[in-house]
Amino acid sequence: MIGRRSRTPLPPGKYRMGGKHFKNDKAFIKTAVGDVQRLEKYCGLNAESALFDWGCGAGRLAVGVREHLGRIRDYHGVDIQPELIEWAQENLSGPGFRFTYLNVSNERYNPDGSRERDLSVDPGSVDVFYAYSVFSHMNDEDTAGYLTLIREALSPHGKAFVTCFVEEDVAGWEENPEGYGPLDWKGRLHCTRFAREHFEQHVNAAHLAVDRFEYGQETDGQSLYVLRCR
Ligand SMILES: C[S@@+](CC[C@H](N)C(=O)[O-])C[C@H]1O[C@@H](n2cnc3c(N)ncnc32)[C@H](O)[C@@H]1O
């Protein structure tokens, strides 16, 4: 059963996820439960849903699902960092909860991975697609390509909850913009920022529509988009 095993702590510094944002277990769980509540409210998440957690890291959202809903029909977390997925499989998988490692490329997290984009999901099978702080570390071409794959993954009434850095009147896509946000960005794709219009052009091109937009309230000043099929 999920959560019943004695959990092995992740070795500090050996994995990359969330930086300094989760100061302790309580804060980690609180953010996860809060996100599950927003998925209920904005995307219709319920016990019968298929929830896809893209870039799940060590499974923060799965912890929130367990705390708040017990279990749902299908939680599926995928990530490109094998040690995080191994940890999640060992500590969080169980009935209704599964994790998959994908060896695809991201210049920050898995530069040697395959250039062929993949979500490892059946078309039209996802009720709620969650991507928290994933487009905030992604190049422009992959962003456009993955939005198309998200559209293909969603069921006709499915919704996608995604966060990213967007601003008005800035370059279409920029890596580690100087003087922007609360951190001193270092290394490939530490912060990727879009012009709002540019990001929404990708959304439109993927045959998605903006259902909700909330500016600047997410981690480090990211904005929230809820997307639906059109
Ligand atoms: C900043 S972390 C966010 C983790 C998690 N979503 C959360 O909010 O706790 C970004 C995660 O996205 C993953 N990632 C980046 N590109 C990805 C891709 N193409 N497919 C799957 N995961 C990806 C990284 O490995 C990393 O774990």
Side-chain angles (χ1 to χ4, degrees), residues 55-72:
C56 64
R60 183 176 64 86
L61 189 71
V63 173
V65 171
R66 182 199 63 209
E67 287 289 314
H68 188 64
L69 294 171
R71 66 164 283 190
I72 58 172

Side-chain angles (χ1 to χ4, degrees), residues 59-135:
R60 183 176 64 86
L61 189 71
V63 173
V65 171
R66 182 199 63 209
E67 287 289 314
H68 188 64
L69 294 171
R71 66 164 283 190
I72 58 172
R73 179 162 63 83
D74 183 37
Y75 164 94
H76 186 190
V78 305
D79 205 285
I80 59 178
Q81 295 186 74
E83 52 289 71
L84 295 182
I85 288 297
E86 276 162 28
W87 187 90
Q89 284 169 338
E90 172 65 22
N91 291 279
L92 299 174
S93 65
F97 292 88
R98 59 192 172 118
F99 295 89
T100 302
Y101 165 62
L102 289 176
N103 188 12
V104 297
S105 155
N106 171 292
E107 296 92 316
R108 180 169 187 78
Y109 295 104
N110 189 24
D112 298 327
S114 163
R115 291 300 306 154
E116 199 171 323
R117 297 179 193 105
D118 184 23
L119 290 178
S120 188
V121 68
D122 291 332
S125 67
V126 174
D127 301 311
V128 180
F129 191 106
Y130 177 84
Y132 201 101
S133 296
V134 183
F135 287 124

Side-chain angles (χ1 to χ4, degrees), residues 18-46:
K20 295 178 182 156
H21 297 107
F22 306 117
K23 292 188 179 61
N24 52 46
D25 285 358
K26 229 172 156 184
F28 187 83
I29 293 171
K30 197 173 163 201
T31 66
V33 169
D35 281 0
V36 172
Q37 289 169 327
R38 292 195 294 166
L39 292 177
E40 289 181 305
K41 195 169 159 192
Y42 299 161
C43 305
L45 179 72
N46 61 48

